[in-house]
Amino acid sequence: MNGSPSHNYRTRLQSSDPAIHDALVGEEKRQQAGIELIPSENYTYPEVLELLGSVFTNKYSEGYPGKRYYGGQKYTDFIEILACERAKKLFRGEHANVQPLSGSAMNQAVYLGLLKPGDTILAMELSHGGHLTHGAPVSHMGTIFNFVRYKSLPDGTLDYHAIAQLAEKHKPQMVLCGYSSYPRDLDYAAFRQIADSVGALAMADISHYGGLVAGNAMANPMDFGFDVITTTTHKSLRGPRGGLIVSKLKHAKAIDKSVFPGLQGGPHMNAVAAIATTLLKAQQPAFKEHCQQVLANAQALAEQFHKHAVTLVTGGTENHLLVINTIVSFDINGHDAQELLDQVGITTNKQVIPDDPLSPARPSGIRIGTPAATTRGMLEPDMMKIADWITDTLNNPNDANHLETISRQVNQFCAQFDVPGL
Ligand SMILES: Cc1ncc(COP(=O)(O)O)c(C=O)c1O
């Protein structure tokens, strides 16, 4: 009999809660059998899975290393200090906070820590690529702060002159850049200059491409004098779910106070341990190579879609993600495209496109990205096959036999690639 801890834990779970056990096994099979193309997802490291399930989950650590409200912090202080040191080194910042429980909490902590309710934040419009927490009217942040939104031009570029004019008119206290579904890189020098022109703070939410910044594959806003960057620790960074704030030293106190006690209670120390390990991994040459491959794979996907005359928002990509206009390309809305691709084992997500005439529930596009597929070891020729399957699926929505054939091919293809941690 296999006596490994994971085997024992599985056996225990199977007898104590078979329903959850079976769902876990089902999800493992799903992650193995299909191609994961949601750009914000990834396969984390086995070490991260182990640490998330470790005894660090038992520990309450309200406060900060050396200044906690509970005893027994010898090892939790050690891992948090190490995680912060690694974060500062990797992102070239003077201060780091690794306690935010998620990306949303980390952004809220920065706004609430550095600004006053009612202050103005200049940020990217949601349908043009910004995130919900960048002031979408449905988010609480959109009601607490006065968000003014800039958009991309029809060719996908940002008109920095127009953003500067918006800043001049609205005099924001913060200029925010970063995105969830914008397939281009940003000009951080221009954003810093715009912020300086009105005496505003410059913040970048690099959640989606934080791993690519850590791996030196994309520019780091801290190198352009930004006040603060935020990044989720999952997504391209491949760590546990969580948030990380890196800033100039002058903002350290305000940010720390805002995270705890302002917004949160006890940090999840199992996640903090896993973040520390993730940041060590991100310093390795292998991770830098992986990041280059993430970008090369996105280019390969874009080129193959061009061959199939598929319309990409902004015409292509400069990062890890692409947005396909499924209405123009296939006369199918993003919701239906996502469902069809689910049928053949390709996981994507529906996506609003700039100034989308359709609703967010049935928008005009889908968003795809390469971090997870690259983590499994897929390379450029594999991306070409994937673009072929996506195009073939969306061109034949009513041909059940054909979709079944594609599904079998996807399944056989995936069997060649291990899933880390499984
Ligand atoms: C740019 C950006 N910021 C913040 C978040 C929020 O992260 P979380 O889902 O962990 O709250 C996301 C998540 O997709 C994101 O893309």
Side-chain angles (χ1 to χ4, degrees):
M1 181 172 154
N2 183 341
S4 73
S6 75
H7 177 81
N8 292 338
Y9 129 77
R10 282 306 171 80
T11 312
R12 269 198 307 275
L13 183 63
Q14 192 167 20
S15 65
S16 65
D17 193 343
I20 292 296
H21 173 269
D22 292 353
L24 174 61
V25 171
E27 177 61 14
E28 285 178 348
K29 286 193 181 139
R30 189 194 70 78
Q31 293 196 12
Q32 166 72 54
I35 303 170
E36 181 52 72
L37 291 183
I38 293 175
S40 49
E41 293 192 13
N42 213 330
Y43 298 97
T44 194
Y45 301 101
E47 293 92 327
V48 166
L49 294 176
E50 282 164 14
L51 284 166
L52 288 177
S54 72
V55 293
F56 280 121
T57 203
N58 298 338
K59 191 73 198 105
Y60 244 110
S61 302
E62 277 183 7
Y64 290 97
K67 292 175 282 180
R68 307 276 194 195
Y69 291 84
Y70 296 80
Q73 307 290 349
K74 179 173 172 188
Y75 300 104
T76 42
D77 275 6
F78 175 78
I79 59 170
E80 186 168 346
I81 290 168
L82 196 54
C84 290
E85 287 307 316
R86 288 175 178 172
K88 285 191 284 183
K89 182 170 171 203
L90 204 53
F91 290 102
R92 298 186 281 284
E94 293 168 348
H95 178 71
N97 187 309
V98 294
Q99 293 196 5
L101 302 181
S102 78
S104 298
M106 104 204 145
N107 285 343
Q108 289 163 16
V110 173
Y111 306 151
L112 292 163
L114 300 185
L115 304 174
K116 294 187 302 303
D119 276 358
T120 299
I121 305 176
L122 192 56
M124 194 185 239
E125 166 76 26
L126 181 75
S127 77
H128 287 245
H131 187 252
L132 273 176
T133 55
H134 300 180
V138 290
S139 82
H140 290 313
M141 292 300 107
T143 60
I144 294 174
F145 297 98
N146 171 38
F147 279 87
V148 175
R149 297 177 190 86
Y150 55 85
K151 296 179 171 185
S152 55
L153 294 166
D155 68 356
T157 54
L158 289 178
D159 181 346
Y160 290 94
H161 182 64
I163 299 172
Q165 283 179 328
L166 276 179
E168 188 50 39
K169 181 170 171 204
H170 296 280
K171 300 275 188 293
Q173 279 71 37
M174 175 180 278
V175 173
L176 169 62
C177 62
Y179 49 77
S180 290
S181 64
Y182 180 65
R184 297 283 163 186
D185 205 356
L186 299 174
D187 183 345
Y188 297 114
F191 273 114
R192 179 69 262 188
Q193 206 175 8
I194 292 167
D196 285 342
S197 72
V198 290
L201 299 170
M203 167 177 172
D205 174 0
I206 62 169
S207 287
H208 253 260
Y209 51 101
L212 302 174
V213 171
N216 290 336
M218 291 184 72
N220 181 351
M222 293 310 280
D223 295 341
F224 296 84
F226 269 53
D227 291 279
V228 57
I229 58 173
T230 56
T231 181
T232 48
T233 49
H234 38 291
K235 301 193 175 74
S236 57
L237 201 50
R238 284 196 66 189
R241 304 190 87 89
L244 164 64
I245 303 169
V246 174
S247 70
K248 290 185 171 169
L249 199 56
K250 64 180 175 186
H251 302 306
K253 224 171 158 180
I255 287 173
D256 285 354
K257 256 180 78 184
S258 184
V259 173
F260 174 86
L263 200 61
Q264 297 182 176
H268 295 181
M269 297 314 291
N270 54 339
V272 170
I275 289 171
T277 284
T278 299
L279 296 173
L280 180 65
K281 294 257 188 203
Q283 293 170 15
Q284 315 295 323
F287 187 73
K288 293 185 171 48
E289 281 165 30
H290 161 79
C291 290
Q292 293 298 338
Q293 191 62 51
V294 168
L295 295 182
N297 280 351
Q299 287 303 319
L301 271 180
E303 278 165 31
Q304 195 67 0
F305 280 128
H306 283 146
K307 286 190 192 144
H308 291 303
V310 169
T311 300
L312 301 176
V313 171
T314 82
T317 178
E318 291 167 350
N319 52 30
H320 62 298
L321 70 88
L322 298 82
V323 181
I324 298 176
N325 185 326
T326 53
I327 291 285
V328 169
S329 309
F330 306 102
D331 198 20
I332 297 174
N333 69 56
H335 168 270
D336 294 350
Q338 177 194 305
E339 301 248 303
L340 277 163
L341 290 167
D342 260 346
Q343 267 184 51
V344 300
I346 298 178
T347 313
T348 62
N349 73 273
K350 60 187 168 195
Q351 179 64 47
V352 287
I353 63 165
D355 297 322
D356 204 326
L358 302 183
S359 75
R362 291 180 174 272
S364 299
I366 56 170
R367 188 179 66 146
I368 62 179
T370 53
T374 308
T375 297
R376 273 182 91 171
M378 295 175 192
L379 301 172
E380 288 94 325
D382 304 312
M383 296 300 123
M384 291 158 76
K385 278 188 210 152
I386 291 171
D388 291 348
W389 280 321
I390 291 175
T391 310
D392 204 4
T393 300
L394 299 181
N395 273 329
N396 296 284
N398 301 315
D399 187 341
N401 284 338
H402 194 57
L403 297 186
E404 185 54 42
T405 305
I406 297 174
S407 171
R408 263 199 310 278
Q409 289 170 348
V410 166
N411 204 240
Q412 281 164 6
F413 168 78
C414 286
Q416 302 166 50
F417 299 94
D418 288 339
V419 170
L422 281 187

